[in-house]
Amino acid sequence: MSHTYGYAAKKDVVERRLNRVEGQIRGINRMVQDDKYCIDILTQISAARSALDQVALELLGEHTRHCLSDPDIGPAGRDAKTEELIKAIGRIL
């Protein structure tokens, strides 16, 4: 049995964003190979990091809306999911 995660409805959005980040990383690698200016490379790294942060925010939002609003998990399950969410945010920060 397959579990449906909160981002399932927006999976295409998440995949598009990740594909864009993947392209950015390839571009950064090309910049290094082509001996581009350090500050330009750092600017692109910052942009890629920001794009990944947006993916993470999307996933956190969908997790919150999906998992914490599930009426079947009960108070103990909700507490566990809340703790899980707090730890995930800590890892991102």
Side-chain angles (χ1 to χ4, degrees):
M1 179 177 173
S2 175
H3 183 77
T4 301
Y5 293 103
Y7 62 86
K10 293 187 176 183
K11 187 175 180 178
D12 59 328
V13 172
V14 172
E15 287 178 337
R16 274 196 308 274
R17 286 185 177 179
L18 287 172
N19 287 334
R20 194 172 309 126
V21 172
E22 184 180 12
Q24 287 176 298
I25 299 301
R26 281 194 306 271
I28 293 167
N29 191 36
R30 275 192 305 277
M31 291 176 78
V32 170
Q33 291 171 355
D34 295 342
D35 296 319
K36 298 297 182 182
Y37 185 54
C38 297
I39 299 303
D40 293 340
I41 295 169
L42 291 169
T43 299
Q44 292 307 309
I45 289 171
S46 178
R49 182 177 287 144
S50 178
L52 272 176
D53 287 345
Q54 290 302 310
V55 173
L57 259 146
E58 181 72 34
L59 291 172
L60 283 170
E62 291 307 316
H63 175 76
T64 302
R65 283 186 281 281
H66 179 79
C67 293
L68 293 179
S69 66
D70 183 353
D72 297 331
I73 65 173
R78 194 168 318 330
D79 287 346
K81 288 291 183 184
T82 299
E83 197 59 38
E84 179 183 57
L85 179 61
I86 290 167
K87 287 178 181 176
I89 292 169
R91 286 190 301 273
I92 291 168
L93 295 177

